[in-house]
Amino acid sequence: MAYTFQSLPQLVDKREGLRENGEYSKRTKTITHRVWHHSLTKKNLSGSDAASFAHYHVETLGWPGIGYTFVIEPKNVVQTPKGPRARIVWCHDIDRRTYHVGNSNQFSLGICVAGDYRYDKLDDATLASIAELHAALVKDGIGKYDRSHNEMPGYSWKECCVYDYRKAISWQGSVTPSKPAALPDYYTIQEGDTFWSIAHKDGAGGVTVEDLIAANPGVDPRNLKVGQVIKLGKAKNAYTPKPNTPKKPQSAYKYPLPSGILKRGSRGTGVKQLQNALNAVNFKCGNVDGIYGPKTEDAVRRFQKVYLPYEVDGIYGPNTRKKLQAVLKSKGY
Ligand SMILES: [Zn+2]
């Protein structure tokens, strides 16, 4: 089967010919994410191309091959019937789990635009290639969501991709500019979904994990079932207060939550409040004794695994508090 992207005149197939040392394994998951990177090498440097990145990834990092499936090379301009285009290098079969976003590699396709966009600017030939590759991938059904590297779990600190990929993929010169679909009212659970991942699929829609918790009281986030339907668009603002809404004081709640940081060794009323709240939402921590011991720490950890999967440290702080408040709210407290 030929892919639509193969008909792009600026595409070169280098699945054979780039530096390799072995073979990436096959993906065990369907691609859901197209992840956009830049190379952090200035775009006009001689080393700003797929061949150099492959060399670096294999020889220095010890990887089986280049970490991206596609590399767009602004310094190599190809004349096409539609005008000048940055060359697109196809580096791996689509089903190869290459290394570019850690835990998310299984379901993410890596696309790198050569350049350092802290300093470089996207030129028209590059924008056109980004938009046309994107449109082709959409047509080929490869991935559903576009994300920059630093929008993927665990990478918020990365200066990647820096350029505005959303603007680039819908560049006006594109033959089929694509817009992200509107947020659906309901969402059907897919394999591997968590409330966290669902909330973060929706970059622009503004639905938070707290909203999902509050709007779906009958759903146990610890046990999401494939095919289960939850409120998504309809969850908006279920928890997140609209701007300028006055906050209720904690004393108004049945289970007031302490502020600040509580952790192993903490003692006092705040710990008691936390223990009461954890027990109320079925993250059992044993006797309410006001001592933050191993059972309380374990309950906080179990809670974080469900609601804050990237911040599991057994320490109660502002983020855990916010999630706990939302869960209490969803239970009617
Ligand atoms: Zn990156």
Side-chain angles (χ1 to χ4, degrees), residues 22-236:
E23 189 83 52
Y24 281 109
S25 62
K26 253 190 167 171
R27 298 176 187 280
T28 56
K29 290 185 181 168
T30 309
I31 295 171
T32 49
H33 289 63
R34 295 176 291 262
V35 180
W36 297 87
H37 300 265
H38 69 150
S39 60
L40 285 158
T41 56
K42 285 211 176 166
K43 66 179 182 181
N44 291 320
L45 293 179
S46 62
S48 242
D49 56 23
S52 304
F53 306 151
H55 191 274
Y56 173 67
H57 289 173
V58 173
E59 301 304 329
T60 305
L61 302 182
W63 295 354
I66 186 169
Y68 312 111
T69 302
F70 294 101
V71 173
I72 298 178
E73 301 175 335
K75 76 183 171 81
N76 291 323
V77 175
V78 180
Q79 296 303 328
T80 77
K82 287 189 205 153
R85 297 290 188 261
R87 186 167 84 153
I88 302 170
V89 179
W90 183 15
C91 308
H92 293 289
D93 285 336
I94 300 301
D95 69 358
R96 292 293 136 177
R97 181 189 55 112
T98 64
Y99 301 161
H100 63 112
V101 279
N103 292 341
S104 304
N105 288 330
Q106 287 287 16
F107 54 87
S108 299
L109 184 84
I111 306 156
C112 177
V113 180
D116 182 346
Y117 294 94
R118 296 173 302 175
Y119 312 106
D120 288 328
K121 284 221 157 56
L122 291 173
D123 49 65
D124 280 2
T126 304
L127 281 165
S129 280
I130 293 173
E132 287 168 8
L133 177 60
H134 176 261
L137 291 171
V138 168
K139 221 171 167 187
D140 288 328
I142 301 170
K144 285 185 192 157
Y145 311 104
D146 291 284
R147 292 290 181 266
S148 66
H149 189 175
N150 62 13
E151 288 169 331
M152 299 303 284
Y155 288 110
S156 56
W157 47 275
K158 273 257 175 190
E159 279 193 289
C160 189
C161 60
V162 184
Y163 57 86
D164 187 345
Y165 72 92
R166 286 175 197 277
K167 216 162 145 189
I169 60 183
S170 54
W171 186 64
Q172 285 305 303
S174 167
V175 252
T176 48
S178 66
K179 275 190 187 157
L183 191 65
D185 285 348
Y186 296 92
Y187 176 79
T188 306
I189 299 295
Q190 301 180 32
E191 188 182 25
D193 276 338
T194 64
F195 271 9
W196 191 94
S197 71
I198 294 163
H200 288 77
K201 273 174 188 167
D202 166 37
V207 172
T208 64
V209 175
E210 291 83 355
D211 288 331
L212 292 176
I213 295 166
N216 295 286
V219 176
D220 182 358
R222 281 173 285 191
N223 192 19
L224 294 176
K225 299 239 163 46
V226 173
Q228 186 175 14
V229 176
I230 65 163
K231 285 184 186 168
L232 179 55
K234 281 187 177 296
K236 194 163 179 174

Side-chain angles (χ1 to χ4, degrees), residues 258-299:
S259 51
I261 308 281
L262 295 172
K263 57 185 182 193
R264 183 75 90 95
S266 299
R267 281 163 183 262
T269 317
V271 177
K272 275 190 184 170
Q273 290 176 325
L274 171 62
Q275 290 171 327
N276 274 321
L278 286 167
N279 283 333
V281 296
N282 262 324
F283 286 82
K284 299 291 183 195
C285 61
N287 290 336
V288 176
D289 57 6
I291 301 169
Y292 203 116
K295 279 187 191 162
T296 304
E297 187 182 68
D298 181 60

